Amino acid sequence: MRNPETLAHQAGRRIRGQPLCSRPRWRRGAAGRRKFQSKRLGRVSSRSGRMKLHCEVEVISRHLPALGLRNRGKGVRAVLSLCQQTPGSLPRPRFRGEPGGQHPACLLISTLKDKRGTRYEANSSSLKGFLSAVRLAHRGCDIETPLLTLTPVKTSEFEKFKTKMVITSKKDYPLSKNFPYSLEHLQTSYCGLVRVDMRMLCLKNLRKLDLSHNHIKKLPATIGDLVHLQELNLNDNHLESFSVALCQSTLQQSLRSLDLSKNKIKALPVQFCQLQELTDLKLDDNELIRFPFKMGQLKNLRFLSAARNKLPFLPSEFKNLSLEYLDLFGNTFEQPKVLPDIMLQAPLTLLESSARTVLYNRIPYDPGIIPFHLCQDLGTAKTCVCGRFCLNSFIQGTATMNLHSVAHTVVLVDNMGGTEAPIISYFCSLACYVNSSDMLN
């Protein structure tokens, strides 16, 4: 079988063939002086002879270089269709020796702004269906597959490939149809949602999900199945917690920004600190009475805002953070205690002694090796200022920390212009406490 390039030369046209895996190019005849290329392949439809290619197309005039001009270099979303031309719609008469056929074909480019489309002679395609039909058309053979007629493309053809959708009212919320599966950014604010729509959880390309200003009370664990989710906005809802299941989901690897402002959250689980890719965290206007005590494990965190909560003090590992911006205004910070809380055990229990040994020597453990409740105990171990660990035997003291030691920009803690806050410290023994007495003073 002759290749499409040979057929094109016989028809007086110029085609540069492309392998099937590369970006397709189509060129119009010399009279048109234009070429256009598909920048990104989309979905191909060939059911019932409906030969369509959803892709991005850039139409380029070959006159531009001669005029010292350049093309935009940017494609637009389009639908390419191999269509059947009626005798009255032929763009020019057929020349002598040019192959003919009962089904003369053309390539139609339809965009959202030009739904009726622009016609081009179909010479070649890297898609098997298009290439086969074009070959037959150039050879003057009948095309057994029925071709489309020249009809405008529906708006829904393009909506299927939307990457962003913003809905800000109940009346615009889709009830009878699904969300476009190609969405990467979805915002549904002020829609009165009381739960997360399960249809959203099927959007596997979703990178940004904005559910702010609704009435959501609980998050489904399946949000963690959105493996590409980077930004999650739950501002101004009725949430009372953030589940452990979400903290242990694939969000650990993907989530960068989380907004839980204006909810009713009183505490975050210890496992929250496993979301180690977080860079931005907003917790303003909740009912937080404490941060997770392993807060210092959020090594990538750069923006932290937890204004207008009920925090009495900061956890000891808070000093391990390295922030660019910190806002703790309007919390009910307590004055550091003069005397520490002493909870030392003498002698140490077997559980305490073995737990310290496992953690200090970094011996691996999991529920398959030791009981699950012991794993939980080890996960809640406290870190002494000396770097060792303690479980139930420790001394707890409070000191004042200047927040500029952990953040470049600090919003004043109160109306008095203060930038200091109380921080808890743990000591594994009396000796550690005595050696660190200067810090407490």
Side-chain angles (χ1 to χ4, degrees):
M1 180 180 290
R2 291 173 293 176
N3 59 44
E5 202 162 322
T6 304
L7 295 171
H9 281 301
Q10 289 181 350
R13 300 177 180 86
R14 180 186 175 201
I15 298 177
R16 292 180 182 177
Q18 296 287 327
L20 292 181
C21 60
S22 68
R23 296 175 178 174
R25 287 191 174 94
W26 291 268
R27 295 181 183 271
R28 196 177 177 184
R33 299 293 182 189
R34 284 191 175 185
K35 66 178 180 178
F36 59 92
Q37 69 182 47
S38 169
K39 289 197 171 256
R40 184 175 62 185
L41 291 182
R43 184 169 64 95
V44 179
S45 173
S46 59
R47 292 180 301 175
S48 303
R50 294 177 60 82
M51 293 192 174
K52 289 185 177 183
L53 169 64
H54 295 264
C55 58
E56 288 184 1
V57 169
E58 179 187 3
V59 180
I60 305 170
S61 172
R62 289 186 286 185
H63 289 300
L64 292 182
L67 299 174
L69 301 175
R70 297 171 60 186
N71 62 76
R72 289 194 314 161
K74 183 179 180 181
V76 295
R77 174 63 64 182
V79 177
L80 303 186
S81 308
L82 189 60
C83 301
Q84 180 178 5
Q85 298 185 104
T86 59
S89 66
L90 291 174
R92 59 175 174 80
R94 192 174 300 279
F95 294 109
R96 183 183 303 174
E98 189 171 347
Q102 297 180 359
H103 299 278
C106 73
L107 194 61
L108 187 70
I109 305 180
S110 303
T111 65
L112 193 57
K113 292 184 178 180
D114 179 19
K115 297 176 185 176
R116 297 193 66 84
T118 303
R119 251 182 336 224
Y120 292 88
E121 292 183 4
N123 293 323
S124 174
S125 171
S126 65
L127 296 175
K128 185 176 180 180
F130 274 135
L131 183 58
S132 176
V134 171
R135 265 190 201 148
L136 295 173
H138 279 298
R139 294 175 63 183
C141 301
D142 290 342
I143 301 176
E144 296 179 359
T145 303
L147 299 179
L148 297 174
T149 57
L150 295 174
T151 56
V153 175
K154 297 179 180 179
T155 303
S156 59
E157 295 277 0
F158 296 95
E159 289 182 346
K160 292 178 182 178
F161 296 92
K162 274 187 175 180
T163 58
K164 181 177 180 179
M165 177 179 284
V166 177
I167 304 169
T168 56
S169 65
K170 288 184 179 180
K171 64 182 181 64
D172 295 328
Y173 193 82
L175 298 175
S176 59
K177 61 179 182 179
N178 290 327
F179 296 101
Y181 74 91
S182 57
L183 282 182
E184 296 179 3
H185 177 184
L186 174 61
Q187 177 180 347
T188 55
S189 303
Y190 301 100
C191 295
L193 299 178
V194 296
R195 63 179 64 88
V196 177
D197 192 331
M198 301 306 290
R199 294 176 297 171
M200 299 177 185
L201 306 180
C202 299
L203 305 176
K204 299 305 181 182
N205 295 321
L206 209 57
R207 296 180 182 275
K208 182 175 181 180
L209 178 59
D210 187 341
L211 299 172
S212 58
H213 307 289
N214 284 293
H215 308 296
I216 299 172
K217 295 182 179 181
K218 188 177 180 181
L219 298 175
T222 44
I223 286 184
D225 296 335
L226 299 174
V227 296
H228 299 295
L229 191 63
Q230 296 180 358
E231 299 181 39
L232 179 59
N233 188 348
L234 296 162
N235 175 39
D236 192 16
N237 277 279
H238 297 164
L239 295 173
E240 297 181 356
S241 63
F242 193 84
S243 70
V244 173
L246 287 177
C247 299
Q248 297 177 333
S249 67
T250 57
L251 296 181
Q252 291 182 1
Q253 290 79 42
S254 64
L255 195 61
R256 304 287 192 275
S257 177
L258 177 62
D259 190 345
L260 295 173
S261 302
K262 296 185 179 180
N263 281 281
K264 300 178 181 180
I265 300 174
K266 294 183 178 180
L268 295 171
V270 175
Q271 294 82 358
F272 184 86
C273 300
Q274 295 177 14
L275 300 173
Q276 295 192 15
E277 296 301 319
L278 272 181
T279 60
D280 295 69
L281 177 59
K282 296 181 181 180
L283 299 168
D284 303 316
D285 300 293
N286 276 280
E287 301 174 8
L288 284 174
I289 57 175
R290 66 175 181 271
F291 278 135
F293 71 90
K294 291 187 177 291
M295 194 79 173
Q297 293 183 357
L298 298 175
K299 299 297 184 181
N300 293 313
L301 194 63
R302 295 294 177 265
F303 182 102
L304 174 59
S305 182
R308 296 173 296 278
N309 279 280
K310 299 178 181 179
L311 296 171
F313 46 74
L314 302 177
S316 60
E317 292 194 17
F318 195 88
K319 60 180 178 291
N320 297 332
L321 294 175
S322 179
L323 304 172
E324 295 176 6
Y325 179 91
L326 175 61
D327 183 1
L328 297 176
F329 177 80
N331 279 281
T332 55
F333 288 123
E334 299 176 354
Q335 291 296 321
K337 294 181 180 180
V338 177
L339 298 176
D341 295 326
I342 301 176
M343 287 174 274
L344 292 174
Q345 299 172 349
L348 294 179
T349 63
L350 179 60
L351 173 62
E352 182 76 23
S353 181
S354 57
R356 292 187 179 192
T357 302
V358 168
L359 293 171
Y360 182 74
N361 294 285
R362 298 183 179 180
I363 299 174
Y365 62 89
D366 60 59
I369 301 175
I370 61 176
F372 179 73
H373 72 276
L374 292 180
C375 291
Q376 289 183 313
D377 290 340
L378 291 171
T380 58
K382 302 161 186 65
T383 305
C384 176
V385 294
C386 70
R388 294 180 179 271
F389 299 91
C390 44
L391 202 62
N392 299 315
S393 177
F394 56 86
I395 297 176
Q396 176 181 308
T398 55
T400 299
M401 181 183 70
N402 192 319
L403 298 178
H404 279 292
S405 64
V406 296
H408 181 269
T409 302
V410 177
V411 176
L412 300 180
V413 174
D414 51 40
N415 293 323
M416 303 300 292
T419 59
E420 295 183 341
I423 184 170
I424 289 182
S425 296
Y426 293 100
F427 307 92
C428 63
S429 65
L430 185 60
C432 280
Y433 174 73
V434 172
N435 293 335
S436 303
S437 59
D438 291 340
M439 183 189 71
L440 289 176
N441 292 331

